[in-house]
Amino acid sequence: MSCTVFISDLHLEETRPEITDAFISFLEHKCHNADRLYILGDLFEAWIGDDEHTPLQNTIAEQLLALKNSGTTIYFQHGNRDFLLQQDYATRSGMELLPEEAVISLYGTPVLLMHGDSLCTRDTGYMHFRKTVRTPVSQAAFLARSLDERKLVAKQMRQLSQAQNSSKSNEIMDVTEAEVESVMTHHQAQYLIQGHTHRPKIHDLTILSQPAKRIVLGDWENSLWYLRWLENGEYQLLHEPIKL
Ligand code: OKV
Ligand code: MN
């Protein structure tokens, strides 16, 4: 039976090669028969421009392109970490870029896809950061710097953010239910698939007086998490340990 696979929040980086290995084996073993693979953001821990070509970025592009060439269409939605990934890298890796709110048809069922960071509206510090770094002007200014300068600025921003996050409460870091309802209502969607919060779970809710589901994918810190959606409308939120 045809199926579609969803993942997010792998946070790939050179210092965690076991997650990259798990991803490569996942592409081969869990995605080969899928007609579509959706990556809902934070594939990479950091992204400072498509002109950076690290061994990790090259390997991932190669593996994704191989999957695409074997018949699986791959879609990418930006996360809060890899929001600067652009068409250049998407082309190199055979991925189609999606807008930050995308309604797709899953074998006839309309489903809203979002990374999920924009739903965490109570984290006002992050919302301000998001607004700033997502403007075309600030992105152009950042990309106009040399790669070495960008690496330094990005590293400092990550260090600052880590220090700030350790003092934020769990509630602040989760989605605002009212924002979920508002976005799902706006898109008239009975299903939302998201990542970002690293709290994998299928939530029941009511949208426009109809039963609805919010499916939250898990991150790849300790287990690889994915959602499999079958042609017959069944779906499963699955996880497997990452072997060290
Ligand atoms: C990604 C996050 C660092 C959170 C900077 C303009 C500006 C882009 C950038 C630099 C940082 C992405 C691209 C990174 C996400 C952080 C710290 C917190 C909470 C500018 C456009 F402002 F300098 F002009 N950046 N990098 N954070 O290191 O990948 O998501 S990053
Ligand atoms: Mn995220």
Side-chain angles (χ1 to χ4, degrees):
M1 198 188 317
S2 295
C3 82
T4 298
V5 174
F6 298 85
I7 55 171
S8 70
D9 303 285
L10 287 77
H11 295 273
L12 298 179
E13 53 182 333
E14 313 272 359
T15 56
R16 303 283 306 269
E18 71 278 5
I19 303 180
T20 300
D21 292 347
F23 181 50
I24 292 170
S25 134
F26 177 82
L27 292 177
E28 189 182 337
H29 295 106
K30 309 285 180 193
C31 300
H32 223 83
N33 300 318
D35 27 48
R36 291 178 270 171
L37 168 67
Y38 286 90
I39 303 171
L40 302 189
D42 288 357
L43 174 61
F44 294 100
E45 173 64 11
W47 198 269
I48 59 167
D50 290 8
D51 53 339
E52 192 184 38
H53 291 233
T54 66
L56 172 66
Q57 292 157 1
N58 291 337
T59 302
I60 297 302
E62 222 170 81
Q63 297 291 326
L64 288 169
L65 193 60
L67 180 68
K68 181 225 151 129
N69 289 336
S70 77
T72 303
T73 311
I74 308 170
Y75 298 91
F76 178 85
Q77 202 169 35
H78 293 111
N80 55 295
R81 312 220 61 106
D82 48 20
F83 64 88
L84 212 52
L85 193 156
Q86 293 174 320
Q87 189 55 52
D88 232 59
Y89 188 75
T91 303
R92 279 214 283 143
S93 47
M95 303 191 289
E96 314 272 334
L97 292 176
L98 291 174
E100 64 182 76
E101 294 174 12
V103 180
I104 61 158
S105 165
L106 275 177
Y107 313 105
T109 304
V111 175
L112 172 62
L113 309 179
M114 296 174 75
H115 176 61
D117 58 315
S118 65
L119 299 168
C120 302
T121 55
R122 283 168 300 183
D123 188 349
T124 50
Y126 171 69
M127 294 312 276
H128 183 258
F129 170 86
R130 187 180 201 275
K131 218 173 150 183
T132 309
V133 295
R134 300 274 182 122
T135 65
V137 170
S138 87
Q139 295 195 356
F142 183 72
L143 289 171
R145 293 166 175 249
S146 72
L147 256 179
D148 281 339
E149 283 177 308
R150 274 179 273 158
K151 274 182 208 163
L152 193 67
V153 169
K155 195 176 163 193
Q156 286 168 345
M157 287 173 74
R158 288 199 299 277
Q159 280 169 353
L160 190 67
S161 157
Q162 249 174 18
Q164 288 166 344
N165 272 354
S166 57
S167 70
K168 284 178 189 170
S169 72
N170 276 341
E171 293 71 52
I172 278 180
M173 308 278 282
D174 204 353
V175 301
T176 307
E177 290 299 338
E179 186 63 22
V180 170
E181 281 170 31
S182 149
V183 180
M184 291 181 77
T185 303
H186 172 79
H187 290 286
Q188 301 191 20
Q190 302 304 131
Y191 289 91
L192 166 64
I193 304 175
Q194 63 156 106
H196 183 65
T197 60
H198 302 190
R199 296 168 197 222
K201 189 179 157 99
I202 301 180
H203 299 262
D204 285 296
L205 59 165
T206 305
I207 300 295
L208 296 166
S209 311
Q210 297 290 318
K213 300 271 188 197
R214 177 167 70 92
I215 303 171
V216 185
L217 304 170
D219 68 289
W220 285 41
E221 173 81 39
N222 299 306
S223 304
L224 56 88
W225 283 89
Y226 63 107
L227 176 75
R228 248 180 114 231
W229 191 299
L230 305 173
E231 196 181 10
N232 65 6
E234 289 172 20
Y235 52 86
Q236 304 148 311
L237 186 55
L238 300 163
H239 60 104
E240 284 174 33
I242 288 175
K243 294 173 206 80
L244 290 182

